[in-house]
């Protein structure tokens, strides 16, 4: 019997290894599979209700807790009064004044000449990155660069750009690529500012040195550094390199900013070049205006003295968690950023561990292959400034109980295996 084209299509998609793997996990472990959740209620201090259960949410990238800040909420409300919910036009035709204001404020906060806002970091990467390079050019990516840069690189490749990949955070391998590649007109090297699955930072100085030696621009997607790392939360690049003179930096407005969108920070003349060369900018809609007003409000907070107080709370929570988990003898990855991963290993164990913590009243993300290497499953804990210390202590207590249920690798075991 011939099925309908839609059924055939679904069948064909199911042949994909990743789809089979995800369906397998969802079918085998329906209770432990805490993905695709629906949240029914959000309360103070990261309380949330899921499947009729109140838990503390340790899975939010809204690191500074500004999504619940009354001034940020009010900015959105006033923005709706002023602009309506959406202006409904590509910025290639018109931008609302708040867009210009937000880009100027972002530039002032960052210490760059200009910024250009996109509706998301993914759309920035998939628009700006292929827009920067063309035939005769070279684009080199860290093998672990965020998926959206990999997708942007595919577009660049389809347009005739030579695309290469270097070993994760390895400046020597990057140098090798340049040595082995023939002449190019211009080169761009794309990396993450923070690798969000491990919480690790790349060796920015060394990578930038290789870039400069080889006449290449460094493109850093600092989505997870924006608002939380560096002075005033300006991210990883300025503090590590002292200037932006060889860099284009991408930041997120949807994580620590608790607003919406992404931006590219750039020299003045690049703003126009990026507008003209980014297809996602030209052929898509903008960030809704009320959120641009929220971005302006968040910039004011980041530039004020209050930022240190918010950071202080975030750091106190982060230290309490990493120290607590380390004292339990767990293998703690990251910790330089508010993303802390606890190594579990086996995929099934990782799902079970997340489920156990959920039952104890704490939601953390169970991250398995392919987001991390096979058998490298982790519990990914996102610490926020508006978690209470009691909640962090409670989570550490629950991790202690988890150790009695699921065998969690100790750091020594990992060192032996290495
Ligand atoms: C490095 C990096 N880039 C891009 C993104 C996606 O950002 P957005 O949701 O704004 O598309 C993420 C999301 O976690 C990320 O970690």
């Amino acid at each position: 019997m011939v099925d309908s084209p839609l059924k055939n299509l679904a069948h064909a998609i199911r042949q994909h290894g990743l789809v089979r793997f995800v369906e397998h996990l969802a079918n085998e472990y329906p209770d432990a599979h805490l993905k695709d959740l629906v949240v029914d209620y959000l309360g103070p201090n990261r309380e949330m209700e899921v499947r009729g259960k109140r838990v503390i949410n340790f899975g939010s990238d809204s690191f500074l807790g500004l999504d619940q800040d009354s001034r940020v909420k009010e900015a959105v409300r006033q923005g709706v009064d002023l602009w309506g919910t959406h202006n409904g036009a590509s910025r290639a035709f018109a931008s609302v004044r708040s867009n210009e204001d937000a880009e100027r404020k972002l530039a002032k906060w960052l210490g760059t000449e200009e910024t250009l806002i996109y509706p998301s970091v993914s759309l920035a990467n998939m628009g700006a990155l292929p827009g920067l390079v063309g035939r005769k050019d070279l684009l080199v990516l860290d093998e672990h660069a965020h998926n959206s840069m990999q997708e942007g690189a595919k577009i660049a490749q389809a347009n005739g750009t030579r695309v290469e990949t270097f070993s994760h955070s390895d400046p020597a391998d990057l140098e090798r690529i340049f040595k082995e590649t023939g002449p190019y007109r211009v080169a761009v090297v794309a990396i993450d500012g923070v690798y969000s699955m491990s919480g690790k930072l790349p060796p920015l100085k060394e990578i930038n040195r290789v870039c400069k030696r080889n006449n290449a621009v460094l493109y850093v997607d600092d989505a997870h550094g924006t608002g939380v790392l560096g002075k005033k939360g300006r991210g990883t690049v300025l503090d590590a390199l002292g200037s932006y003179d060889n860099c284009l930096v991408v930041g997120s407005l949807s994580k620590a900013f608790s607003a919406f969108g992404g931006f590219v920070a750039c020299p003045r003349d690049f703003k126009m070049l990026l507008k003209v060369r980014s297809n996602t900018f030209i052929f898509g809609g903008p960030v809704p205006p009320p959120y641009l007003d929220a971005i302006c409000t968040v910039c004011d907070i980041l530039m004020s003295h209050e930022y240190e107080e918010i950071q202080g709370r975030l750091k106190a929570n982060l230290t309490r968690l990493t120290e607590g988990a380390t004292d339990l003898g767990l293998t703690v990855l990251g910790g330089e950023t508010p993303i802390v991963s606890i190594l579990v290993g086996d995929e099934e164990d990782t799902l079970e561990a997340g489920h156990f913590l959920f039952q104890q009243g704490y939601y953390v993300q169970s991250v398995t292959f392919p987001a991390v290497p096979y058998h490298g499953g982790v519990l990914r804990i996102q610490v926020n400034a508006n978690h209470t210390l009691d909640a962090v202590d409670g989570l550490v207590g629950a991790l202690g109980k988890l150790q009695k249920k699921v065998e969690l690798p100790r750091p020594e075991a990992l060192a032996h295996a290495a």
Side-chain angles (χ1 to χ4, degrees):
M1 195 183 78
V2 181
D3 273 328
S4 73
L6 267 178
K7 277 196 175 155
N8 284 338
L9 180 59
H11 178 75
I13 295 170
R14 286 208 165 82
Q15 303 310 303
H16 193 280
L18 176 60
V19 179
R20 285 213 303 269
F21 184 68
V22 169
E23 285 200 330
H24 167 76
L25 287 182
N27 290 334
E28 282 291 301
Y29 314 106
D31 292 335
H33 196 258
L34 294 174
K35 303 276 168 81
D36 211 10
L37 295 178
V38 177
V39 177
D40 290 309
Y41 163 81
L42 289 178
N45 303 322
R46 290 281 175 258
E47 251 181 66
M48 69 171 184
E49 188 178 308
V50 178
R51 296 181 181 172
K53 186 168 172 61
R54 286 280 167 106
V55 294
I56 306 290
N57 180 12
F58 279 92
S60 171
D61 285 334
S62 195
F63 300 114
L64 302 176
L66 294 176
D67 55 308
Q68 300 298 335
D69 185 281
S70 56
R71 294 159 296 180
V72 182
K73 288 185 187 177
E74 188 53 29
V76 175
R77 275 190 214 105
Q78 285 188 14
V80 172
D81 287 345
L82 201 58
W83 303 111
T85 55
H86 203 285
N87 53 327
S90 159
R91 289 186 65 198
F93 292 107
S95 300
V96 296
R97 174 64 55 203
S98 297
N99 225 316
E100 293 292 310
D101 292 347
E103 285 170 347
R104 205 171 336 104
K105 277 212 169 172
L106 283 169
K108 187 171 170 210
W109 161 64
L110 287 161
T112 57
E113 285 180 5
E114 276 295 354
T115 64
L116 183 66
I117 294 179
Y118 294 72
S120 70
V121 176
S122 298
L123 287 171
N125 288 337
M126 287 191 260
L129 207 46
L132 292 170
V133 284
R135 285 168 191 279
K136 302 186 195 160
D137 299 337
L138 174 66
L139 175 58
V140 192
L141 286 98
D142 185 292
E143 63 177 329
H144 289 179
H146 188 263
N147 172 271
S148 51
M149 285 191 276
Q150 311 273 0
E151 294 298 316
K154 285 180 198 164
I155 299 170
Q157 196 162 33
N159 291 338
T161 302
R162 176 155 182 194
V163 175
E164 299 286 345
T165 304
F166 70 103
S167 303
H168 181 47
S169 285
D170 184 349
D173 198 49
L174 177 61
E175 187 79 68
R176 176 192 64 78
I177 301 259
F178 282 118
K179 280 216 174 75
E180 289 176 4
T181 309
Y184 44 82
R185 186 180 59 162
V186 294
V188 173
V189 172
I191 61 172
D192 290 18
V194 177
Y195 288 88
S196 69
M197 289 302 154
S198 63
K200 289 200 178 133
L201 310 182
L204 271 173
K205 261 192 188 152
E206 291 77 1
I207 289 179
N208 193 41
R209 226 175 271 139
V210 177
C211 286
K212 282 185 159 176
R213 248 199 317 269
N214 292 283
N215 205 17
V217 167
L218 180 59
Y219 179 103
V220 184
D221 175 350
D222 203 15
H224 276 278
T226 316
V228 284
L229 295 181
K231 193 170 165 222
K232 293 282 176 203
R234 291 180 305 201
T236 56
V237 174
L238 193 58
D239 282 29
L241 303 182
S243 87
Y244 297 105
D245 70 352
N246 193 48
C247 299
L248 294 169
V249 179
V250 182
S252 173
L253 301 167
S254 308
K255 298 184 191 296
F257 255 78
S258 306
F260 191 83
F263 63 83
V264 180
C266 56
R268 188 155 289 118
D269 53 339
F270 266 82
K271 183 159 180 169
M272 192 277 286
L273 299 176
L274 287 169
K275 279 185 177 181
V276 175
R277 289 287 294 148
S278 301
N279 283 346
T280 53
F281 182 89
I282 298 169
F283 296 105
V287 171
Y291 282 87
L292 296 164
D293 294 337
I295 291 163
C296 292
T297 303
V298 173
C299 281
D300 288 340
I301 295 172
L302 298 182
M303 285 188 278
S304 76
H305 291 305
E306 195 185 335
Y307 180 70
E308 275 71 40
E309 183 267 319
I310 300 172
Q311 259 291 353
R313 278 190 277 126
L314 181 60
K315 284 224 169 84
N317 284 341
L318 186 59
T319 306
R320 190 83 143 228
L321 176 73
T322 47
E323 287 183 358
T326 307
D327 286 349
L328 288 171
L330 299 171
T331 305
V332 181
L333 311 172
E336 284 176 84
T337 76
I339 303 174
V340 176
S341 294
I342 307 287
L343 185 67
V344 181
D346 177 75
E347 281 63 36
E348 185 183 339
D349 283 353
T350 308
L351 295 181
E352 286 295 347
H355 181 243
F356 178 82
L357 293 179
F358 187 82
Q359 292 306 324
Q360 299 290 311
Y362 303 95
Y363 168 72
V364 309
Q365 295 172 347
S366 297
V367 181
T368 55
F369 175 82
V372 290
Y374 188 59
H375 278 0
V378 294
L379 294 170
R380 193 163 84 134
I381 305 170
Q382 279 131 295
V383 180
N384 297 169
N386 60 339
H387 283 126
T388 63
L389 280 171
D390 278 353
V392 177
D393 290 343
L395 175 60
V396 172
L399 286 166
K401 289 184 194 161
L402 173 67
Q403 278 177 308
K404 297 184 182 108
K405 293 250 163 208
V406 177
E407 202 181 322
L408 300 175
R410 300 183 70 87
E412 309 86 76
L414 207 68
H416 281 305

